[in-house]
């Protein structure tokens, strides 16, 4: 494997959305960490031969209870709710960024509808079974190997393979603010996994937060540190986050 060690790319992302936009109980955090660990394990030791394509959804399978996933926070219709596999997008985002830095071809990637706190804007990778996948192609001319690990909600992905011609860095720029984060009261407590909420009790799920538009660039440097090219790879808009309070009325 000695030729493969010439390319060692590492990217890691630590959970930040809980601190930035949500109020989450300890049980939800533990469930998200379980989901992160379960999804990461699908890629640990994964070999992608030259010319082959990797699908995140096909590799992880359905984010279901039978596959080891638990209910945690997800984004549904522009709101943070509860669903199986919450936290998995942090894994897809970490994998995506490692692949960008390794110079791999991105066949398919999707942004979140709302801002997330664990990566810079225009460098997230939202996945959802049946609608949104992360698809990577090995265009390096040699096989590559992925290794993964986590420490709590911190994801780490390493890629080993043929030495890259360039050192690649990422640049994220916010281009405009999108106001409109409003306060709403939700009565469907089950939607948020709050079956234990007492009648008349309220629980805040998230704080209102403005959205923004952003642009993502990749810069390519040669071995002397000279910038060879800069490519704009994405333009995205992230909606404002609703401030949500759940109130059980009956």
């Amino acid at each position: 494997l000695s030729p493969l060690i010439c390319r060692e790319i590492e990217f890691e992302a630590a959970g930040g959305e809980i601190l930035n936009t949500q109020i989450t109980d300890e049980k939800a955090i533990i469930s998200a960490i379980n989901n992160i660990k379960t999804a990461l394990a699908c890629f640990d030791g994964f070999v992608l031969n030259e010319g082959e394509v990797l699908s995140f959804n096909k590799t992880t399978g359905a984010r279901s209870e039978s596959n080891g996933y638990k209910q945690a926070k997800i984004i549904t219709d522009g709101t943070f709710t509860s669903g199986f596999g919450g936290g998995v997008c942090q894994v897809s985002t970490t994998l995506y960024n490692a692949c960008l830095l390794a110079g791999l071809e991105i066949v398919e990637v999707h942004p979140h509808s709302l801002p997330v706190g664990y990566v810079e804007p225009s460098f997230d990778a939202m996945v959802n079974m049946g609608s949104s996948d992360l698809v990577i192609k090995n265009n390096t001319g040699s096989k590559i190997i992925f290794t993964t690990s986590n420490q709590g909600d911190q994801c780490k992905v390493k890629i080993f393979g043929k030495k890259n011609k360039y050192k690649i860095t990422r640049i994220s720029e916010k281009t405009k603010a999108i106001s409109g984060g409003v306060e709403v009261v939700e009565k469907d407590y089950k939607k948020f996994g709050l079956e234990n909420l007492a009648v008349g009790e309220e629980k805040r799920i998230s704080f209102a937060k403005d959205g923004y538009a952003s642009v993502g660039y990749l810069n390519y440097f040669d071995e002397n540190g000279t910038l060879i090219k800069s490519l704009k790879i994405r333009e995205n808009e992230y909606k404002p986050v609703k401030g949500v309070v759940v109130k059980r009325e009956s």
Side-chain angles (χ1 to χ4, degrees), residues 18-239:
I18 290 173
L19 297 177
N20 289 341
T21 63
Q22 304 176 65
I23 299 176
T24 307
D25 58 28
E26 186 68 21
K27 181 179 178 181
I29 296 173
I30 293 172
S31 295
I33 292 172
N34 168 82
N35 297 339
I36 287 170
K37 186 175 181 179
T38 301
L40 275 175
C42 297
F43 300 94
D44 193 32
F46 190 97
V47 176
L48 189 64
N49 290 313
E50 189 270 329
E52 289 184 342
V53 169
L54 179 156
S55 160
F56 187 93
N57 286 341
K58 289 182 179 178
T59 304
T60 60
R63 266 75 80 184
S64 62
E65 190 172 14
S66 60
N67 282 339
Y69 293 96
K70 298 181 179 180
Q71 291 212 28
K73 297 299 177 184
I74 61 173
I75 298 174
T76 304
D77 298 327
T79 302
F80 289 102
T81 61
S82 181
F84 282 103
V88 165
C89 286
Q90 190 174 324
V91 178
S92 56
T93 293
T94 307
L95 179 67
Y96 168 64
N97 280 270
C99 290
L100 284 177
L101 297 178
L104 303 182
E105 180 182 346
I106 310 300
V107 179
E108 180 181 349
V109 67
H110 302 270
H112 290 83
S113 58
L114 301 178
V116 295
Y118 47 77
V119 75
E120 300 92 332
S122 288
F123 286 99
D124 58 326
M126 184 272 293
V127 289
N128 183 51
M129 292 297 293
S131 65
S132 305
D133 200 359
L134 171 65
V135 180
I136 309 294
K137 184 176 181 180
N138 180 359
N139 60 347
T140 67
S142 179
K143 71 176 180 180
I144 56 176
I145 299 175
F146 297 85
T147 65
T148 66
S149 62
N150 81 291
Q151 184 173 3
D153 64 356
Q154 184 177 41
C155 300
K156 183 178 291 186
V157 172
K158 289 186 178 182
I159 301 175
F160 297 88
K162 184 179 177 182
K163 186 175 181 179
N164 200 342
K165 182 179 179 181
Y166 301 106
K167 177 184 178 181
I168 303 172
T169 63
R170 306 165 309 121
I171 300 292
S172 170
E173 294 181 358
K174 293 181 182 179
T175 55
K176 69 174 181 179
I178 303 175
S179 60
V182 297
E183 291 284 338
V184 297
V185 177
E186 290 274 1
K187 300 177 183 178
D188 185 1
Y189 58 92
K190 293 182 180 179
K191 174 182 175 182
F192 297 89
L194 296 176
E195 287 80 358
N196 294 327
L197 200 66
V199 175
E201 186 180 359
E202 296 182 355
K203 183 176 179 64
R204 177 170 287 279
I205 300 298
S206 61
F207 290 102
K209 183 180 179 182
D210 287 344
Y212 44 77
S214 62
V215 180
Y217 297 89
L218 293 181
N219 287 339
Y220 294 75
F221 297 87
D222 66 15
E223 59 184 11
N224 297 316
T226 302
L227 178 64
I228 303 302
K229 58 182 176 180
S230 182
L231 296 180
K232 181 169 70 175
I233 61 168
R234 286 174 51 174
E235 292 185 69
N236 302 112
E237 286 195 0
Y238 299 91
K239 298 177 182 178

